[in-house]
Amino acid sequence: MATASRAARSNASSLKRVNKTMNMSRGGFRQSVHLGVLAAWLGLVAYGCVVMWSASLSIPEVSFSRHLLGIGLGFAAALVIWNTDLRNLQNISTALLVIDIVLVFLPNVPGLSHNANGMTGWIRIPIIGLTYQPVELVKLVTIFFISSLAAQYNGRIDTVRDYIKLCGMLFIPFACVIIQGDLGSGLVVFFSGAVVIMMSGAKKEWVLSTLAIMIGLVSLILATDSIIDGVLGDSNSLIKDYQMNRLLVFIDPESSTSEEGYNLQQALIAVGSGGFLGKGIGNATQSSSGFLPEAQTDFVFALTSETFGFLGAVVLLALFALLMLSSVRVAVKNENLFMRLACVGIVGMWMFQIFENIGMCIGLMPITGIPLPFISFGSSSMITQCCAVGIVQSIWRFRQKSA
């Protein structure tokens, strides 16, 4: 009896140790991984795989194996960032600005430059031969750069001078991207940086005044540019003809006979023809018949809506909402202001890209070449967006440790 009693106590003790170990392991996993961000990320990547596989059945330009390669590289980069404490980036704001500028103009370096779709915004990485669009990485570097400057004010910007200084520093990478001719990426850089500045303690009246000034400047540029275009020609104007056409299409879609007007009309047809449940995988006739241009990139939401219908669009939006809301929670729970601002900046980047890409497919936003995160075809965008998730998970993992 004594032997049996000792054995029972030993078994009970062993069971307690096992349970304690499992609880500690479970707690450590939750400490290192934000489940909401992880679930949304995996869900979006899986959704994008289905969309691109469907597109590859009818669009010759879509290589599903290349899409998977981008995912693999993105996951590898995300895991490295995930296990890295990024708070030391706060102390190298000058270096971040230099990196920003170098990345923007890297495609102009002989031997690295790669032309794609008539643009020279890509580089061909030596040895491995892969192409990459450096401006995608500029989006993340700029967020860290502005966050490092804004964190110095400890959540309160007291003077107009400090506010103007922050806006001026944001203008540097924004202007560099615009000089390179990539208006869409420039707007992403500007919006994500502006979100960081607004959340760092800028007064509401300063922000509203800035918006009013920007609207006035844009109006002045449009008026002046039309005169320059008429006198000196399109090559000397700040706004090219195709960019002006995109703006005119947004203002009055029915009156435009340009290529951009045609693109918007086809996108609207694709979205509307999907109905509630969609036409099914491989049956998106607008894209398979060649009517919908750039269906795998710029107009991927129209392709998705035609394939999976209204219900599929709702599921996609729900996954995006889960990703952004979970990331906001990561920011709120973080004790480091620099990391909190960086996380908010990433949410701003996602928000603008999602709203712009979907909005232009349904006529709510001007047409720009902004990819839909995790869904659009293209390794550059996929790798960068996966890195952004890695950053958010790193912010969660190191949220309570002393810097």
Side-chain angles (χ1 to χ4, degrees):
M1 292 291 293
T3 302
S5 178
R6 284 195 299 268
R9 287 196 299 269
S10 177
N11 290 335
S13 178
S14 298
L15 183 60
K16 288 181 180 179
R17 285 196 297 269
V18 170
N19 288 335
K20 183 177 180 180
T21 301
M22 291 179 63
N23 289 334
M24 291 176 62
S25 177
R26 193 178 298 115
F29 179 79
R30 291 176 179 175
Q31 166 69 27
S32 303
V33 180
H34 192 284
L35 296 179
V37 175
L38 179 63
W41 178 34
L42 296 178
L44 285 167
V45 170
Y47 199 119
C49 282
V50 176
V51 173
M52 285 303 108
W53 176 65
S54 175
S56 68
L57 300 177
S58 57
I59 304 177
E61 294 81 7
V62 178
S63 170
F64 187 61
S65 59
R66 182 182 167 190
H67 185 73
L68 293 178
L69 175 61
I71 292 174
L73 293 174
F75 270 56
L79 289 175
V80 172
I81 297 173
W82 195 327
N83 291 282
T84 304
D85 190 346
L86 302 172
R87 285 172 294 181
N88 290 329
L89 294 178
Q90 181 177 354
N91 303 318
I92 58 169
S93 57
T94 303
L96 290 172
L97 177 59
V98 172
I99 293 171
D100 244 351
I101 297 174
V102 170
L103 286 172
V104 171
F105 294 105
L106 199 59
N108 296 330
V109 177
L112 291 178
S113 179
H114 175 74
N115 187 289
N117 298 325
M119 295 180 61
T120 56
W122 280 259
I123 62 171
R124 183 175 294 278
I125 303 174
I127 301 177
I128 60 177
L130 292 176
T131 58
Y132 185 78
Q133 197 173 10
V135 73
E136 288 292 327
L137 195 56
V138 169
K139 299 172 184 177
L140 298 180
V141 176
T142 300
I143 290 172
F144 279 114
F145 168 59
I146 298 300
S147 298
S148 67
L149 297 177
Q152 299 175 9
Y153 299 99
N154 298 316
R156 182 182 177 87
I157 302 175
D158 294 317
T159 66
V160 177
R161 180 179 179 181
D162 290 334
Y163 172 73
I164 294 176
K165 178 181 177 181
L166 279 176
C167 293
M169 297 308 290
L170 173 60
F171 182 77
I172 296 175
F174 168 70
C176 289
V177 176
I178 294 299
I179 290 173
Q180 285 292 86
D182 193 343
L183 177 61
S185 296
L187 291 175
V188 176
V189 168
F190 174 80
F191 186 84
S192 56
V195 168
V196 172
I197 294 175
M198 286 188 289
M199 297 304 295
S200 60
K203 294 182 179 179
K204 181 173 65 175
E205 54 267 28
W206 297 347
V207 176
L208 294 176
S209 299
T210 303
L211 290 175
I213 293 172
M214 289 184 61
I215 292 173
L217 287 175
V218 170
S219 301
L220 179 62
I221 290 173
L222 290 174
T224 305
D225 205 59
S226 61
I227 298 175
I228 295 175
D229 189 15
V231 176
L232 301 178
D234 181 58
S235 60
N236 295 285
S237 61
L238 296 174
I239 301 176
K240 305 304 178 185
D241 284 343
Y242 75 91
Q243 293 174 328
M244 182 63 73
N245 287 336
R246 288 176 175 181
L247 182 60
L248 294 176
V249 167
F250 171 66
I251 295 174
D252 189 0
E254 299 295 333
S255 65
S256 177
T257 58
S258 65
E259 179 182 352
E260 286 71 21
Y262 169 83
N263 295 348
L264 176 58
Q265 292 301 322
Q266 296 304 317
L268 291 172
I269 292 172
V271 172
S273 64
F276 186 75
L277 295 176
K279 297 178 179 178
I281 293 177
N283 296 320
T285 54
Q286 285 298 110
S287 58
S288 62
S289 302
F291 295 111
L292 180 63
E294 302 298 333
Q296 74 277 15
T297 53
D298 297 351
F299 292 97
V300 71
F301 179 75
L303 169 64
T304 303
S305 297
E306 185 180 13
T307 304
F308 300 108
F310 176 77
L311 183 60
V314 169
V315 171
L316 178 61
L317 292 175
L319 288 172
F320 278 131
L322 175 62
L323 177 66
M324 289 188 290
L325 291 174
S326 298
S327 298
V328 168
R329 184 174 184 273
V330 170
V332 171
K333 293 292 184 179
N334 197 278
E335 299 176 354
N336 184 283
L337 178 59
F338 168 63
M339 288 285 89
R340 193 184 310 155
L341 291 174
C343 192
V344 170
I346 289 174
V347 173
M349 177 187 72
W350 283 331
M351 183 184 300
F352 183 82
Q353 292 193 199
I354 293 166
F355 184 73
E356 170 59 34
N357 185 279
I358 294 177
M360 76 177 190
C361 289
I362 57 178
L364 294 180
M365 294 292 287
I367 297 175
T368 58
I370 295 179
L372 188 62
F374 308 103
I375 308 298
S376 290
F377 179 72
S379 298
S380 297
S381 175
M382 180 62 72
I383 293 171
T384 301
Q385 300 306 325
C386 288
C387 286
V389 172
I391 292 170
V392 174
Q393 291 287 14
S394 173
I395 292 172
W396 174 258
R397 178 172 186 174
F398 297 99
R399 66 191 182 279
Q400 294 177 338
K401 296 180 180 179
S402 58

